[in-house]
């Protein structure tokens, strides 16, 4: 892999990004510069064209035996110095030291978050392009560096920035809203906003694992407060403006002062008494008394 380094990569990180299996069983591997005597590769290593991370493992084949070898690894994209070009390579030329020619090789490149029209060039040219897939099929060949797969693309067009984050669930005025855009709600209309992260608190609303944002609007809270007052007293809340009403009244639940939005979770059957206390020179009070919950044995 040829790329311009922005940082050094530790040996442990190199080992963690590689895995090899033989017939489904993981094998031990190690890092070694196995091409130190190959003049072509040595020149590229010395001029920093390639990084000498060669992953080796031991394998044994009996005569006529076939095995399935799976290799999985990750690595950064190639980066040309002071350029918007990005690239990756797949070195078929390492098979030049095999005994005889390679009977058949099929190389499939699946593009992830890279559009076809962002590709600048690909090598070799005998490639089949199918949607976001590039396929090379080679037969009976002894590979050289001319056979190495190389793909260049424009990072100004598309650059993979990682997996898209999972948005939190939104509960607006008690209802789960899918694909909610927080920017579309006026902050002046919000009575309360709360972020829930712990699963034991979010699972009552949604199965999403990335938290829940609960939003109550001022109109909704005022409507709920009117419902409780009018259902339990002969009085009525005439005000239609949440902010003005909050300037004139304080809310108490079991003699504890609480914010208006806490009326949302109060059920009618739990209410013992509601009383409105008016006073001159100070804020009026809405007093709500709830049934006391007996502690479980």
């Amino acid at each position: 892999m040829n790329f311009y380094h922005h940082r050094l990569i530790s040996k442990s990180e190199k080992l963690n990004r590689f895995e090899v299996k033989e017939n489904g069983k993981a094998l031990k591997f190690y890092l070694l510069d196995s091409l130190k005597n190959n003049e072509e590769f040595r020149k590229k290593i010395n001029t920093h064209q390639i990084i000498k991370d060669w992953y080796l493992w031991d394998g044994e084949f009996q005569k006529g035996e076939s095995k399935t070898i799976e290799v999985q690894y990750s690595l950064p994209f190639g980066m040309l110095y002071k350029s918007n070009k990005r690239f990756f390579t797949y070195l078929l030329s390492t098979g030049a030291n095999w005994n005889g020619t390679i009977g058949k090789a099929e190389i499939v490149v699946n593009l992830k978050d890279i559009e076809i029209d962002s590709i600048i060039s690909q090598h070799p040219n005998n490639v089949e392009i199918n949607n976001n897939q590039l396929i090379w099929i080679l037969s009976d060949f002894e590979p050289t560096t001319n056979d190495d797969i190389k793909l260049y693309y424009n990072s100004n067009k598309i650059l993979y920035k990682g997996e898209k984050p999972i948005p939190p669930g939104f509960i607006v005025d008690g209802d789960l809203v899918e694909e909610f855009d927080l920017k579309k709600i006026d902050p002046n209309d919000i009575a309360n906003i709360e972020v829930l992260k712990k699963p034991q608190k979010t699972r009552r609303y949604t199965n999403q694992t990335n938290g829940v944002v609960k939003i109550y609007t001022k109109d909704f809270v005022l409507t709920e407060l009117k419902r409780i007052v009018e259902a339990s007293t002969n009085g009525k809340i005439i005000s239609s403006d949440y902010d003005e009403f909050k300037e004139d009244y304080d809310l108490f639940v079991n003699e504890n002062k609480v914010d208006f939005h806490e009326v949302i979770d109060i059920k009618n059957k739990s209410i013992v008494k509601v009383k409105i206390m008016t006073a001159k020179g100070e804020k009026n009070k809405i007093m709500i008394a709830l049934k006391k919950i007996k502690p479980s044995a």
Side-chain angles (χ1 to χ4, degrees):
M1 181 65 188
N2 308 353
F3 62 94
Y4 178 75
H5 268 299
H6 280 288
R7 66 181 180 88
L8 295 176
I9 300 176
S10 66
K11 184 176 180 180
S12 60
E13 186 177 351
K14 293 175 182 178
L15 294 173
N16 288 336
R17 68 186 188 189
F18 186 88
E19 183 180 34
V20 58
K21 294 181 180 179
E22 182 181 278
N23 291 339
K25 183 180 179 180
L27 298 179
K28 291 184 178 180
F29 58 88
Y30 49 96
L31 289 169
L32 189 67
D33 181 5
S34 63
L35 299 176
K36 60 183 179 181
N37 296 320
N38 185 302
E39 292 184 4
E40 180 181 7
F41 280 92
R42 171 52 57 192
K43 181 179 179 181
K44 290 188 174 184
I45 291 172
N46 291 339
T47 57
H48 304 287
Q49 294 183 50
I50 60 176
I51 305 301
K52 52 180 181 181
D53 292 341
W54 300 101
Y55 295 78
L56 306 180
W57 64 92
D58 296 323
E60 184 176 325
F61 286 79
Q62 302 299 323
K63 184 177 181 180
E65 182 181 12
S66 296
K67 292 182 179 180
T68 300
I69 307 295
E70 299 175 64
V71 178
Q72 179 174 309
Y73 57 92
S74 63
L75 68 171
F77 53 73
M79 179 184 293
L80 297 181
Y81 185 55
K82 292 185 178 181
S83 170
N84 64 342
K85 289 184 179 180
R86 303 291 182 262
F87 67 93
F88 64 85
T89 61
Y90 184 73
L91 303 181
L92 287 175
S93 51
T94 56
N97 295 326
W98 290 16
N99 183 16
T101 61
I102 296 176
K104 181 180 180 181
E106 181 178 0
I107 299 93
V108 180
V109 175
N110 295 294
L111 300 179
K112 182 176 181 179
D113 297 306
I114 300 176
E115 301 295 336
I116 284 290
D117 62 0
S118 72
I119 295 176
I120 299 170
S121 64
Q122 66 275 334
H123 180 85
N125 293 323
N126 57 329
V127 60
E128 177 184 342
I129 300 178
N130 183 13
N131 295 323
N132 273 24
Q133 195 175 70
L134 291 86
I135 304 172
W136 286 266
I137 298 178
L138 306 172
S139 300
D140 194 24
F141 69 108
E142 185 168 357
T144 67
T145 53
N146 290 329
D147 299 301
D148 289 344
I149 303 298
K150 298 178 182 179
L151 184 67
Y152 288 83
Y153 62 98
N154 189 338
S155 66
N156 287 349
K157 172 70 177 178
I158 180 69
L159 179 61
Y160 179 55
K161 297 181 179 179
E163 297 291 339
K164 294 182 179 179
I166 302 173
F170 282 89
I171 309 294
V172 181
D173 291 339
D175 295 325
L176 178 64
V177 180
E178 295 184 2
E179 299 182 1
F180 180 75
D181 187 356
L182 190 58
K183 296 179 181 178
K184 292 184 178 181
I185 188 169
D186 188 341
N188 294 321
D189 293 336
I190 298 175
N192 181 262
I193 185 168
E194 181 182 5
V195 179
L196 306 178
K197 295 183 179 181
K198 295 183 179 180
Q200 58 266 36
K201 290 187 176 182
T202 62
R203 65 170 59 102
R204 63 176 290 194
Y205 302 103
T206 177
N207 292 326
Q208 288 185 222
T209 59
N210 207 37
V212 168
V213 178
K214 291 173 61 178
I215 298 174
Y216 291 121
T217 62
K218 293 177 180 179
D219 287 344
F220 181 77
V221 172
L222 188 58
T223 299
E224 287 297 293
L225 188 58
K226 287 180 178 180
R227 175 186 62 79
I228 289 176
V229 170
E230 294 174 5
S232 305
T233 70
N234 294 324
K236 287 190 176 182
I237 297 175
I238 301 175
S239 177
S240 60
D241 187 280
Y242 176 90
D243 293 319
E244 289 182 3
F245 187 77
K246 197 167 185 179
E247 287 182 5
D248 296 333
Y249 285 86
D250 283 330
L251 176 64
F252 290 80
V253 176
N254 288 343
E255 299 184 353
N256 295 314
K257 185 179 177 180
V258 299
D259 192 80
F260 280 9
H261 78 275
E262 295 197 24
V263 300
I264 303 300
D265 295 324
I266 296 178
K267 307 298 182 184
N268 284 343
K269 62 182 180 180
S270 66
I271 298 174
V272 176
K273 185 179 181 180
V274 177
K275 184 178 181 180
I276 299 178
M277 300 174 63
T278 59
K280 292 183 178 181
E282 61 182 48
K283 294 180 74 170
N284 303 317
K285 297 178 181 179
I286 300 175
M287 311 293 293
I288 301 177
L290 303 179
K291 295 177 183 178
K292 293 183 179 180
I293 301 175
K294 295 181 180 180
S296 57

